[in-house]
Amino acid sequence: MRLPIFKALVGVLLLASTACEPLSEQDGGYGNPERTPLWVALDEARLDGPGRHHVEYLDLAKLRILKEKHPGRFSRLAEIGVGEALRRSDDTGIPLKTASSAALFGRPPAQAGLLRGRFDVDGIALSLNRLGYTRNQQVWQRAEQDGLSVVEPGEDLVTYAGSLQTHEQVRPPSKVPRLSGSTPHRAVSWCLGWPLAAVLTEPGSPGEADLIGAAANAVEAEFADGADFTEALCYHTTGDPEALAERLRTALREGASARTGKPWRDLLPGAEVEVGQDATVRLSFPQTGDVGVLVEALSRNDVPL
């Protein structure tokens, strides 16, 4: 079903529901955006950079734990948050398998990434030197043009990009406005809560959404074997949230996936729509199978609105 054009910012959320302590009711159940890892990641990127159009975040540490508890359920998240060049490279000295979290800003070739964790700066420097990188102050660079042409290693943060210009969009000077100060990004990060994995992306053409996001949520390191999951879409709209919520309900009842042709009511069983804070609308449904249905749908530009 083709719905009327409605401008909004959208976030997709994959929640791991556990017996962990719930988020504060004072935070509307979604968490404080100034304290969530997603918001912190947004605070690392320039407001006027390519990251405004596309952001990915992945809590690598918690995903590793979830994979042990629920093997085979997270393949749809395999390429979230980590640049392709870094995923393919195992000789840079950057310990991807032990990093705690990752984020990407922008799309290739104008894409910059960062990893959080505890890093051996000297060890990474030795590896980069062996690979032919040259050092200019804290930044290492090589002539080969890929998403790992520029690397800046630190004890708790490693940043990388395909060019110096692109690299400048992460860790900007203190007075430069950040993505965390964008009203739509803040509202959607509030709606998405504490993410395990998240994507916020701007569609290529105008429509109901001007930014779409995907995420997975887990707040503790200990997960019960019977943990269940919730997937969700979060929309920030400049129009009437109640009207957008009604359009989503109509899409769930009557619409179908453009890619598969299957009705949304079958693809998203038990889905509910609610109006949230700060002009957001949230669609969620319980997931008992493979996690990432909405992330995959979003990556293929095939969501209810």
Side-chain angles (χ1 to χ4, degrees), residues 120-141:
D120 178 3
V121 177
D122 292 337
I124 295 174
L126 287 173
S127 296
L128 295 176
N129 187 58
R130 284 197 298 267
L131 292 173
Y133 284 79
T134 58
R135 182 175 180 176
N136 182 3
Q137 296 183 341
Q138 303 304 314
V139 177
W140 291 79
Q141 189 175 12

Side-chain angles (χ1 to χ4, degrees), residues 198-222:
V199 175
L200 292 91
T201 187
E202 211 173 53
S205 57
E208 295 83 5
D210 58 17
L211 192 70
I212 305 177
N217 185 321
V219 295
E220 293 292 343
E222 296 80 17

Side-chain angles (χ1 to χ4, degrees), residues 180-301:
S180 56
S182 160
T183 297
H185 288 77
R186 285 177 59 87
V188 169
S189 69
W190 180 286
C191 181
L192 293 180
W194 295 68
L196 170 66
V199 175
L200 292 91
T201 187
E202 211 173 53
S205 57
E208 295 83 5
D210 58 17
L211 192 70
I212 305 177
N217 185 321
V219 295
E220 293 292 343
E222 296 80 17
F223 299 96
D225 288 341
D228 60 323
F229 296 85
T230 299
E231 300 198 29
L233 286 161
C234 285
Y235 297 74
H236 175 270
T237 176
T238 56
D240 181 2
E242 294 289 351
L244 178 57
E246 189 55 40
R247 291 171 192 244
L248 272 173
R249 295 184 184 107
T250 300
L252 288 173
R253 290 193 307 268
E254 305 174 6
S257 162
R259 181 173 61 89
T260 67
K262 295 181 179 180
W264 287 118
R265 63 178 178 271
D266 295 337
L267 292 171
L268 312 177
E272 297 182 352
V273 177
E274 60 181 336
V275 175
Q277 301 180 31
D278 300 325
T280 58
V281 176
R282 187 170 183 267
L283 179 157
S284 62
F285 81 101
Q287 178 60 271
T288 58
D290 291 347
V291 177
V293 169
L294 287 176
V295 172
E296 185 176 59
L298 175 60
S299 68
R300 300 183 180 185
N301 196 27

